[in-house]
Amino acid sequence: GAGVSQSPSNKVTEKGKDVELRCDPISGHTALYWYRQSLGQGLEFLIYFQGNSAPDKSGLPSDRFSAERTGGSVSTLTIQRTQQEDSAVYLCASSLNIGDQGAFFGQGTRLTVV
Amino acid sequence: GENVGLHLPTLSVQEGDNSIINCAYSNSASDYFIWYKQESGKGPQFIIDIRSNMDKRQGQRVTVLLNKTVKHLSLQIAATQPGDSAVYFCAENIPHSQAGTALIFGKGTTLSVSS
């Protein structure tokens, strides 16, 4: 597609379950970001992939959070043993070169942990 | 820690007025700045960017000003329209651990435009 695609758009899960969120970046974009946005808040940086470099995981809030990017394209953010405080919108963005242009965002996945 | 922040959480203006949204940053190594607009239920949308070797950049009805001396960034919207109502975020590209750089966002300013 022409833009960043995220799935699912909405996810309701029970506390303690694992969830996987998917991001399809714009074709050819080497940089991929995951952010978390709680209601009425700003974007909290989670993790960043740039080409084949080791990802920057410094923003992950706990070891329950992990992400991978296969083949330099699709990325999956996994949250294990979900907690209610994990409820938020998870946004993915991609960029060809972050130093020359802004990152382009998907619509996000709204995660609700009940 | 270093962060990107905004001076005001909300801004209310009348249609046709000019709007100014401010942002303060603290990382002097930041070399690239972006303003995003986020409408309800949508992801952030790129508005305009500026590199650290510039102090002003203009787009269509929008202007970004960068003052590196006081680490301040502003977004000016001319002739504000109801469709400009949204949350506006500034973001800075900073050197960030082993991945090179990272795009870090401020908390956002909600712009409300009344007719």
Side-chain angles (χ1 to χ4, degrees), chain B residues 9-113:
Chain B
T10 61
L11 177 65
S12 297
V13 301
Q14 292 286 321
E15 181 178 2
D17 287 351
N18 295 332
S19 302
I20 300 176
I21 301 172
N22 295 306
C23 177
Y25 66 96
S26 57
N27 194 319
S28 58
S30 297
D31 61 356
Y32 179 59
F33 304 86
I34 309 167
W35 279 101
Y36 284 90
K37 172 185 179 182
Q38 186 176 29
E39 296 174 295
S40 181
K42 298 182 179 180
Q45 180 183 13
F46 175 95
I47 301 174
I48 191 168
D49 59 359
I50 188 167
R51 299 188 64 82
S52 58
N53 61 353
M54 303 171 66
D55 54 20
K56 180 179 180 179
R57 191 168 187 211
Q58 289 185 293
Q60 186 178 12
R61 283 201 306 117
V62 295
T63 300
V64 55
L65 299 177
L66 175 63
N67 185 331
K68 294 182 288 295
T69 301
V70 295
K71 298 187 181 67
H72 184 269
L73 193 69
S74 69
L75 176 70
Q76 300 178 357
I77 305 173
T80 314
Q81 304 169 359
D84 295 327
S85 295
V87 179
Y88 289 81
F89 294 96
C90 65
E92 63 177 332
N93 190 45
I94 62 172
H96 198 270
S97 73
Q98 70 266 33
T101 63
L103 195 61
I104 304 300
F105 283 74
K107 293 190 181 300
T109 293
T110 301
L111 176 65
S112 297
V113 183

Side-chain angles (χ1 to χ4, degrees), chain A residues 8-113:
Chain A
S9 55
N10 283 282
K11 176 71 176 180
V12 180
T13 190
E14 292 182 351
K15 178 181 175 181
K17 300 286 189 181
D18 298 351
V19 295
E20 286 189 351
L21 312 180
R22 177 187 169 103
C23 173
D24 284 271
I26 293 172
S27 179
H29 280 192
T30 57
L32 188 148
Y33 291 90
W34 282 99
Y35 293 88
R36 178 170 68 176
Q37 187 174 32
S38 299
L39 186 63
Q41 299 298 311
L43 279 71
E44 176 189 4
F45 169 79
L46 296 178
I47 189 168
Y48 167 49
F49 297 89
Q50 174 60 61
N52 295 321
S53 301
D56 179 352
K57 303 180 181 180
S58 60
L60 295 177
S62 77
D63 58 8
R64 296 187 295 105
F65 288 72
S66 63
E68 61 178 24
R69 189 178 185 191
T70 54
S73 180
V74 172
S75 178
T76 302
L77 177 69
T78 301
I79 308 173
Q80 296 178 308
R81 305 180 302 281
T82 52
Q83 303 295 314
Q84 288 186 327
E85 60 263 29
D86 299 334
S87 297
V89 175
Y90 289 82
L91 289 159
C92 176
S94 72
S95 175
L96 183 60
N97 183 343
I98 197 61
D100 292 331
Q101 61 175 235
F104 295 87
F105 281 82
Q107 296 285 71
T109 293
R110 181 174 297 277
L111 175 67
T112 304
V113 182

